[in-house]
Amino acid sequence: MTVIDMHAHFVPREWPDLAARFGGADWPGIRHTAPGKAMLLLGEREFRPVHSALWDAGERLAAMDRDGIDIQVLCATPFLFGYQRTPEQALGAARIFNDAALELCAQAAGANAGRLKSLCQVPLQATDAACAELSRCMQAGHSGVQIGNHVGVRNLDDEGIVTFLQHCAAENAAVLVHPWDMMAADRTRQYMMGWTVGMPAETQLAIVSMILGGAFDRLPPSLRICFAHGGGSFAFLLGRLENAWHNRDIARGKSEHPPSHYCDRFSVDSAVFDQRALRLLIEVMGEDRVMLGSDTPFPLGELSVGKLVRESAMTAAGQAKVMGGNAARFFGI
Ligand code: CO
């Protein structure tokens, strides 16, 4: 069995001064503060302290060996998305981070060759530029794309975003949807509530808007799309959504079928941190549509990658699917 962790993040060790190159203010930056330690910046403002596992391939591979992970699929940290920038600015920055991701993966050489794979990022606010960058990245060796769960007020059923997802299907590019730019920011500033409350709600919102907005009815079934963090609040609240769909016509939106009909159109990762939640997720999504995803190397990720699934009461066959079989099929590995 090949064990695949399909949700992990990186930032490059360094990158150019984006404000100097593209104009505009408050670009993401990085300031190295001590060996193996750095501060991520937004403009001059300190955003988050980070450590070298984010950019050091050797450290990453050592952690994978420790946890019994054969392959890791890494993607950018969402604060690098740049969806609020002009298309030209966002495309320029995306190219820098996409090329850096491939360089990081290429550092896994020799016996480790092929153990690190990457998802690109695209300027999702500009459909044509996003499609072009996706095509370039798939040619260059990326395994798919990570997108944010919304672009400003545009949810994933937005016409331009659906066009981009159709392009992903045509290019055979797997899609990971990651929450970002969380709702109710003014009420979730404390205690990391943006991560513990905002992110699951954003992810649920993304899935619900795709279903009710008719996006899945417009997209080909061949599209491979996965939502991070177990799909956020979706699985637990599917019954509420289903009830609303059946009992209030205004809650049906444009979907041709009840919400539960669409659960076989997408996947989720396993980052739910609780055996009860994992059991519910497997029950709602099926064991073919849950993939090991750790959110490593962040402190809110699974610190011992794969522990939750390995210690679950799933059958050996089911565990093998979740630990790697599903992801191998999803990414064409
Ligand atoms: Co993540």
Side-chain angles (χ1 to χ4, degrees), residues 67-134:
D67 293 336
I69 306 298
D70 298 307
I71 293 174
Q72 183 188 77
V73 183
L74 55 88
C75 57
T77 301
F79 101 127
L80 300 177
F81 282 159
Y83 294 168
Q84 74 280 30
R85 308 278 166 187
T86 70
E88 295 73 24
Q89 290 173 330
L91 176 60
R95 293 182 76 114
I96 290 170
F97 297 123
N98 290 337
D99 293 347
L102 289 178
E103 282 170 29
L104 181 59
C105 293
Q107 286 172 30
N112 289 316
R115 292 185 67 195
L116 296 180
K117 299 189 178 296
S118 61
L119 304 179
C120 65
Q121 66 177 72
V122 296
L124 195 59
Q125 66 271 52
T127 305
D128 289 348
C131 291
E133 179 63 1
L134 179 91

Side-chain angles (χ1 to χ4, degrees), residues 19-186:
R21 182 170 298 195
F22 300 117
D26 296 329
W27 281 96
I30 187 167
R31 183 172 63 222
H32 291 271
T33 51
K37 288 189 162 62
M39 180 62 73
L40 296 181
L41 306 167
L42 276 177
E44 296 299 307
R45 187 167 62 84
E46 293 187 347
F47 177 70
R48 170 197 272 193
V50 291
H51 60 95
S52 47
L54 269 171
W55 59 81
D56 187 309
E59 235 176 276
R60 208 172 265 273
L61 290 161
M64 289 163 62
D65 287 340
R66 184 198 65 205
D67 293 336
I69 306 298
D70 298 307
I71 293 174
Q72 183 188 77
V73 183
L74 55 88
C75 57
T77 301
F79 101 127
L80 300 177
F81 282 159
Y83 294 168
Q84 74 280 30
R85 308 278 166 187
T86 70
E88 295 73 24
Q89 290 173 330
L91 176 60
R95 293 182 76 114
I96 290 170
F97 297 123
N98 290 337
D99 293 347
L102 289 178
E103 282 170 29
L104 181 59
C105 293
Q107 286 172 30
N112 289 316
R115 292 185 67 195
L116 296 180
K117 299 189 178 296
S118 61
L119 304 179
C120 65
Q121 66 177 72
V122 296
L124 195 59
Q125 66 271 52
T127 305
D128 289 348
C131 291
E133 179 63 1
L134 179 91
S135 295
R136 184 188 80 88
C137 287
M138 293 305 288
Q139 284 284 325
H142 286 272
S143 298
V145 60
Q146 176 196 215
I147 62 171
N149 75 300
H150 66 112
V151 176
V153 296
R154 297 160 62 194
N155 287 325
L156 294 188
D157 61 330
D158 170 86
E159 204 55 55
I161 298 175
V162 170
T163 298
F164 172 74
L165 293 173
Q166 281 164 338
H167 184 69
C168 291
E171 287 278 2
N172 208 20
V175 182
L176 172 63
V177 180
H178 201 289
W180 86 301
D181 186 19
M182 281 75 82
M183 62 178 75
D186 49 348

Side-chain angles (χ1 to χ4, degrees), residues 7 9 178 229 295:
H7 179 178
H9 293 287
H178 201 289
H229 311 143
D295 228 345

